[in-house]
Amino acid sequence: MSAAEPIATPFLVLRRTPYGETSLVVAGITPAAGQLHGLVRGGRRLGPRQFPVVDLFRLIQVAYRPGRSGLHRIVQMDLLEDFGAVARHPASYRAAGWLADFALRNTQPEIEHPAFFQAMCLGLHRLAEAHCHAGRLPAVVADAVITGVCLTYLDEGGWAVGPSASAAPLPRLPELLDMAAGRGQAPHLSVAAWRTLRREVEEMLVRAECQLPEPPRIPGT
């Protein structure tokens, strides 16, 4: 591959910042290139033939040219999946915001994390669909998603351990990792049990010296 050839990758948009009059700087994660910051020239222009592909909580396929300062130039974009429906319920939106902040605080450029990337995308999909899940409170879905995504991050880094036996009986680590990876459904637990699991995972994150955002205030719990 020549130096001038763009690099293609899926890219999960987790932050966007206006730049100049018409452009955007976007930040997010990729499976193989880690955290990525890109400049989208003209990304704020809207017209009858233009679709705002680069938006928060969207999975897009990008091609970018590496920049010397770490700010890469995105030259091509195609929408793969839109998770914007997380905004339909406060619990989903706050959980999605917490996960985006966590990902940007704890990932680095050029460090691959394919399992975490997959768990983030699937987690946002589940949060976006939480209002459609009959019998499942959005707050429960939010805690389950946060638990699974963060356990995946820990497991990929070699820091994960199973839930304690302090409040019983809780799912084992493989079951929760399968849930986060889409290989299984979320266990049917009470609101209190999911909250216990999430807090245990947050304690593991602290022990692993992760940078944690402020706890999300999830309504309904």
Side-chain angles (χ1 to χ4, degrees), residues 65-73:
R65 299 183 187 278
R68 294 180 181 179
S69 64
L71 181 62
H72 309 303
R73 183 180 176 186

Side-chain angles (χ1 to χ4, degrees), residues 16-176:
R16 48 175 275 164
T17 306
Y19 181 83
E21 294 184 1
T22 63
S23 299
L24 287 171
V25 171
V26 292
I29 57 174
T30 68
Q35 188 172 147
L36 185 73
H37 294 248
L39 174 65
V40 184
R41 296 193 182 279
R44 297 164 63 193
R45 292 175 181 158
L46 298 178
R49 295 188 178 182
Q50 293 175 306
F51 184 74
V53 172
V54 182
D55 209 348
L56 192 62
F57 303 134
R58 284 185 174 176
L59 177 62
I60 60 179
Q61 180 74 18
V62 301
Y64 68 92
R65 299 183 187 278
R68 294 180 181 179
S69 64
L71 181 62
H72 309 303
R73 183 180 176 186
I74 296 178
V75 296
Q76 184 177 343
M77 302 165 291
D78 293 292
L79 180 65
L80 299 177
E81 192 167 358
D82 183 1
F83 307 118
V86 296
R88 295 180 183 176
H89 196 283
S92 294
Y93 187 71
R94 291 173 187 177
W98 190 92
L99 286 170
D101 197 359
F102 173 82
L104 293 175
R105 287 173 184 242
N106 294 283
T107 59
Q108 300 295 327
E110 306 303 326
I111 297 179
E112 63 179 11
H113 42 72
F116 177 67
F117 179 85
Q118 179 184 358
M120 280 286 295
C121 292
L122 181 57
L124 289 174
H125 174 82
R126 286 170 168 163
L127 290 171
E129 298 295 322
H131 65 285
C132 300
H133 295 170
R136 300 301 300 273
L137 293 172
V140 169
V141 177
D143 276 337
V145 166
I146 289 174
T147 298
V149 170
C150 290
L151 274 175
T152 302
Y153 176 87
L154 289 165
D155 184 67
E156 201 162 34
W159 300 305
V161 296
S164 73
S166 56
L170 297 178
R172 296 180 180 274
L173 178 61
E175 184 179 1
L176 295 170

